[in-house]
């Protein structure tokens, strides 16, 4: 039942309907509700037979209330296709376990990637194990095993799959900040259509960032031995057995990273030491890469099933209609607990691309309860996105998510048993994520354990926010604009332009009419200062055990110095990652402001 003074659901926009039909409707389905019924039945199959009917209804009700699965769940759960319900994977490149990948490793890794991508999973890789161009290994193979050449091969694999009867999946290439080929890696996509299936990130360490702060020197090093030319130039072996290829000013490398991020929105930065320090399983796993959007740091063969909750559904008296706006924390807590059960079930009923994925997932049972529509919810509560009051509300919401997700996982552990690698003394140790939970939740964990090693992940939610959220603001991002055009590719055809309206904006217009001026709390991404973008991530990160996907939008005329200061401040805030985006007129934007025709935005479809 719709709560009093909540905004009624409106008819789906043409774009939302197109994305729903293209990506999520199975044969015979015509509506979101049809998808929800299929997904609820499929995920309830993990329950004991006598519970399945009741749990199916529970999941269906949750889906109707905006607690949905990520794209792979909504497309593939209960479907006839062989796709996986899992969005996120990380694969090792050196499958032999050697510190330097060789040709045999790479070929095996390509085969594993092909299977995973074909089933719809997105894959991240740490390519730091690839020998540098100036190593003996790369020289003896004509440079064909250099980092950039290897990434070319992975990119071709994904492109070939996308030409067939599958969307394939996105990929993430990570390289450490001390790899000798870092400059070539960072420059590879700049001004060219290279690696079209990849996002790229640099894993930066605290030692590197401190060297930047101190204006110190930085070593480029690798386990592979350098070639004769490099030896003549002074390359030498280090005490740990690796080879130093060059020593350069840290700020020279830092400025290169910042300028590339300003120019091309890549690379993103992964603060890899912060990621590992904040991982409750750091004693049994090491993380060196993330999934393609960066919200899920994962160990080799790691995977995670995701599911966002539309926060705008839980605002009562939005915009002050019928009373003072309020957030329904009780309602949110209820759907969070059901969402944990649904995502945990997905681990057991999904098709796994590889046995390695299944083994890793069942040992730790990672899931990622997330959000979408945060900015819409704040707008409906009359809170400007960049204001301290908005961050305060966001922190209350995040705390509600965290506390209820962990309470639900402890309850599931009581019912089904904890994840196999669970250790109470590790999870509840001082300084670990669970140590900050309310006392009652910690006591439940001490008694029963946790069903899932990780429970929270704030991902981007582009297509599901269109198809099931009627173009609500995506993830934790501010609204791009209130009325704009969006470029969308349907099937394998050419991209089409659709005119779209943000859902909070549509709701406001439905209440107050087309001529009413927008209040000051309607704030778009371009109106939010870059440091306020960072502050929002810093506000949410203490309540998220995985990571957060967030793009820091900066003006077109932003200087490299400003980008440097943003990136450096992200490290100072102990964020786990950061990505900068500066609109560029020379690039084709997926999103752009609509031109005005006869006093109203033009509409394309």
């Amino acid at each position: 039942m719709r709560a009093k003074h909540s905004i009624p659901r409106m008819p789906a926009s043409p774009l939302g309907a197109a994305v729903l039909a293209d990506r999520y409707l199975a044969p015979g389905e015509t509506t979101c509700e049809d998808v929800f019924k299929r997904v609820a039945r499929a995920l309830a199959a993990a329950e004991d037979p006598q519970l399945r009917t009741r749990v199916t209804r529970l999941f269906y009700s949750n889906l109707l209330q905006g607690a949905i699965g990520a794209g792979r769940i909504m497309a593939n759960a209960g479907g006839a296709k062989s796709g996986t319900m899992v969005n996120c994977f990380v694969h090792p490149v050196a499958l032999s376990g050697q510190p330097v990948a060789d040709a045999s490793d790479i070929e095996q890794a390509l085969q594993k990637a092909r299977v995973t991508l074909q089933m719809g999973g997105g894959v991240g890789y740490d390519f730091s194990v690839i020998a540098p161009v100036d190593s003996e290994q790369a020289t003896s193979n004509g440079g064909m095993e250099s980092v950039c050449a290897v990434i070319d091969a992975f990119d071709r694999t994904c492109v070939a799959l996308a030409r067939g009867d599958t969307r394939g999946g996105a990929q993430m290439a990570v390289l450490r900040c001390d790899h000798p080929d870092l400059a070539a890696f960072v420059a590879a996509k700049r001004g060219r259509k290279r690696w079209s299936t990849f996002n790229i990130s640099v894993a930066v360490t605290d030692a590197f960032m401190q060297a930047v702060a101190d204006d110190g020197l930085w070593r480029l090093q690798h386990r592979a031995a350098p070639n004769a030319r490099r030896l003549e130039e002074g390359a030498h072996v280090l005490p740990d057995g690796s080879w130093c290829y060059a020593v350069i000013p840290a700020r020279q490398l830092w400025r290169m990273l910042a300028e590339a991020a300003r120019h091309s929105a890549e690379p993103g930065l992964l603060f890899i030491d912060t990621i590992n320090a904040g991982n409750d399983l750091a004693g049994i796993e090491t993380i060196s890469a993330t999934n393609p959007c960066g919200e899920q740091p994962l160990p080799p063969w790691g995977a995670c099933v995701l599911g966002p909750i539309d926060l705008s559904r839980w605002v009562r008296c939005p915009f002050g209609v019928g009373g003072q706006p309020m957030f329904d924390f009780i309602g949110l807590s209820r759907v969070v607990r059901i969402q944990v059960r649904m995502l945990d079930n997905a681990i057991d009923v999904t098709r796994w691309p590889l046995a390695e994925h299944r083994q890793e997932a069942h040992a730790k049972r990672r899931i990622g309860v997330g959000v979408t529509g945060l900015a819409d919810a704040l707008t409906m509560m009359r809170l400007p996105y960049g204001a301290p009051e908005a961050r305060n509300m966001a922190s209350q919401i995040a705390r509600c998510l965290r506390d209820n997700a962990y309470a639900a996982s402890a309850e599931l552990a009581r019912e089904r048993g904890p994840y196999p690698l669970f250790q109470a003394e590790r999870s509840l140790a001082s300084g670990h994520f669970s140590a900050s939970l309310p006392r009652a939740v910690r006591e439940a964990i001490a008694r029963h354990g946790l069903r899932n090693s990780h429970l929270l992940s704030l991902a981007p939610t582009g297509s599901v926010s269109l198809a099931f959220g009627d173009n609500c603001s995506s993830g934790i991002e501010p609204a791009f604009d209130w009325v704009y055009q969006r470029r969308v590719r349907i099937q394998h055809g050419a991209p089409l332009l659709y005119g779209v309206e943000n859902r909070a904006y549509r709701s406001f217009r439905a209440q107050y009419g087309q001529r009413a001026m927008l209040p000051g709390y309607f704030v778009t991404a371009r109106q939010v200062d870059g440091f306020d973008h960072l502050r929002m991530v810093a506000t949410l990160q203490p309540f998220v055990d995985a990571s957060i996907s967030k793009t820091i939008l900066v003006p077109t005329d932003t200087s490299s110095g400003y980008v440097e200061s943003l990136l450096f401040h992200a490290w100072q805030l102990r964020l786990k990652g950061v990505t900068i985006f500066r609109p560029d007129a020379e690039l084709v934007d997926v999103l752009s402001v609509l031109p005005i025709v006869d006093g109203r935005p033009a509409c394309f479809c």
Side-chain angles (χ1 to χ4, degrees):
M1 179 180 296
R2 184 167 57 87
K4 185 179 180 181
H5 301 314
S6 65
I7 291 292
R9 291 189 67 182
M10 293 174 290
S13 66
L15 176 55
V19 172
L20 176 68
D22 180 52
R23 303 189 182 184
Y24 300 111
L25 294 182
E29 295 176 347
T30 59
T31 67
C32 291
E33 288 74 13
D34 292 335
V35 177
F36 296 160
K37 290 173 183 175
R38 166 173 52 81
V39 171
R41 283 194 302 269
L43 295 178
E47 304 286 339
D48 290 337
Q50 66 271 22
L51 296 177
R52 286 176 191 165
T53 298
R54 184 176 68 84
V55 173
T56 297
R57 291 172 181 158
L58 197 65
F59 289 170
Y60 179 67
S61 175
N62 229 41
L63 290 157
L64 286 173
Q65 294 179 85
I68 59 176
R72 300 306 178 191
I73 290 178
M74 305 309 287
N76 296 331
K81 293 184 177 180
S82 60
T84 181
M85 297 183 209
V86 186
N87 282 63
C88 306
F89 296 90
V90 162
H91 285 194
V93 175
L95 301 189
S96 64
Q98 297 301 311
V100 182
D102 60 20
S104 174
D105 273 329
I106 294 164
E107 183 53 40
Q108 290 182 64
L110 277 168
Q111 293 291 343
K112 303 274 189 183
R114 186 176 293 112
V115 172
T116 306
L117 293 165
Q118 192 162 25
M119 288 185 68
V123 188
Y125 321 83
D126 175 16
F127 287 102
S128 303
V129 295
I130 303 298
V133 169
D134 293 332
S135 67
E136 286 184 348
Q137 180 175 338
T139 301
S140 65
N141 287 280
M144 291 306 293
E145 291 168 16
S146 65
V147 169
C148 292
V150 170
I151 298 174
D152 283 336
F154 280 80
D155 187 53
R156 287 193 298 269
T157 294
C158 193
V159 169
L161 291 172
R163 291 188 183 125
D165 186 27
T166 177
R167 291 188 181 276
Q171 302 185 92
M172 169 70 85
V174 178
L175 201 67
R176 282 180 56 90
C177 59
D178 55 3
H179 194 285
D181 287 354
L182 186 61
F185 172 79
V186 169
K189 293 185 72 173
R190 186 165 180 168
R192 290 182 285 174
K193 294 182 178 179
R194 192 175 186 182
W195 303 346
S196 62
T197 69
F198 273 96
N199 292 323
I200 68 171
S201 289
V202 174
V204 295
T205 61
D206 286 342
F208 171 72
M209 296 302 297
Q210 194 60 54
V212 172
D214 297 340
D215 196 15
L217 297 176
W218 185 247
R219 285 195 303 238
L220 300 179
Q221 60 191 65
H222 202 271
R223 302 291 296 184
N227 61 22
R229 180 181 64 81
R230 277 291 191 183
L231 289 170
E232 292 172 1
E233 292 174 353
H236 58 280
V237 70
L238 297 169
D240 66 356
S242 61
W243 288 84
C244 175
Y245 278 64
V247 179
I248 63 173
R251 289 188 182 175
Q252 175 184 325
L253 182 57
W254 176 248
R255 293 187 181 112
M256 177 192 73
L257 296 176
E259 174 54 27
R262 175 189 174 275
H263 180 275
S264 307
E266 293 186 279
L269 299 186
L270 300 177
F271 299 111
I272 203 67
D273 290 336
T274 303
I275 286 172
N276 279 292
N279 180 18
D280 272 4
L281 297 184
I284 60 173
E285 66 181 25
T286 299
I287 290 173
S288 61
T290 74
N291 72 311
C293 292
E295 78 277 4
Q296 195 66 53
L298 292 166
W301 304 120
C304 187
V305 290
L306 305 177
I309 297 171
D310 183 352
L311 297 176
S312 66
R313 301 284 191 92
W314 302 101
V315 177
R316 306 306 175 217
C317 303
F319 311 117
V321 177
Q324 182 71 16
M326 297 181 64
F327 194 87
D328 183 359
F329 288 100
I330 295 175
L332 178 63
S333 65
R334 184 176 63 251
V335 298
V336 168
R337 291 176 181 241
I338 298 170
Q339 187 82 332
V340 168
R341 189 181 193 97
M342 188 179 84
L343 295 179
D344 185 68
N345 282 9
I347 294 172
D348 295 322
V349 301
T350 189
R351 302 176 181 93
W352 289 100
L354 301 169
E356 294 93 332
H357 298 147
R358 183 186 299 108
Q359 180 178 355
E360 173 71 17
H362 281 268
K364 300 167 186 173
R365 304 192 71 84
R366 271 181 167 91
I367 62 172
V369 176
V371 302
T372 192
L374 172 64
D376 280 9
L378 295 174
T379 302
M380 290 174 173
M381 297 192 71
R382 305 189 295 201
L383 299 173
Y385 186 92
E389 297 82 2
R391 291 193 291 274
N392 179 57
M393 176 55 63
S395 71
Q396 294 180 56
I397 292 170
R399 185 185 299 274
C400 178
L401 288 167
R402 180 199 66 181
D403 294 353
N404 284 281
Y406 270 78
S409 188
E411 178 61 22
L412 272 181
R414 183 191 66 80
E415 178 183 339
R416 299 174 173 177
Y419 68 91
L421 296 181
F422 173 78
Q423 293 180 2
E425 60 274 18
R426 178 180 62 218
S427 289
L428 294 172
S430 176
H432 280 233
F433 189 83
S434 298
S436 60
L437 292 166
R439 180 177 178 179
V441 180
R442 286 185 281 113
E443 289 176 348
I445 294 170
R447 286 194 304 271
H448 309 303
L450 283 168
R451 180 66 171 168
N452 315 94
S453 67
H454 297 72
L455 284 137
L456 300 138
S457 180
L458 303 189
T461 58
S463 65
V464 291
S465 292
L466 282 169
F468 305 107
D470 193 26
N471 197 37
C472 65
S473 57
S474 174
I476 69 162
E477 301 289 355
F480 172 75
D481 213 317
W482 310 121
V483 182
Y484 58 98
Q485 62 185 17
R486 186 164 186 143
R487 192 181 304 272
V488 176
R489 187 184 301 276
I490 303 298
Q491 292 296 331
H492 299 292
L496 301 175
L497 284 176
Y498 287 84
V500 292
E501 293 179 325
N502 166 266
R503 193 180 66 195
Y505 172 85
R506 288 181 70 196
S507 300
F508 180 86
R509 289 296 180 211
Q511 294 294 324
Y512 295 103
Q514 295 297 321
R515 295 185 178 277
M517 290 188 63
L518 290 181
Y521 54 78
F522 272 82
V523 177
T524 66
R526 286 169 296 174
Q527 295 171 309
V528 179
D529 179 77
F531 287 93
D532 282 332
H533 281 280
L534 292 178
R535 292 182 187 108
M536 180 59 82
V537 182
T539 295
L540 298 170
Q541 187 64 76
F543 305 102
V544 178
D545 52 17
S547 190
I548 300 172
S549 178
K550 176 79 179 72
T551 299
I552 312 304
L553 184 65
V554 297
T556 302
D557 59 357
T558 293
S559 68
S560 294
Y562 184 71
V563 171
E564 285 185 42
S565 64
L566 283 173
L567 296 176
F568 193 82
H569 192 55
W571 173 66
Q572 290 176 315
L573 289 172
R574 306 308 293 169
L575 304 188
K576 294 183 179 180
V578 61
T579 301
I580 300 290
F581 179 72
R582 181 183 65 90
D584 188 343
E586 297 180 2
L587 301 176
V588 177
D589 290 337
V590 173
L591 307 178
S592 56
V593 178
L594 276 172
I596 302 298
V597 177
D598 295 330
R600 290 183 59 82
C603 185
F604 300 87
C605 59

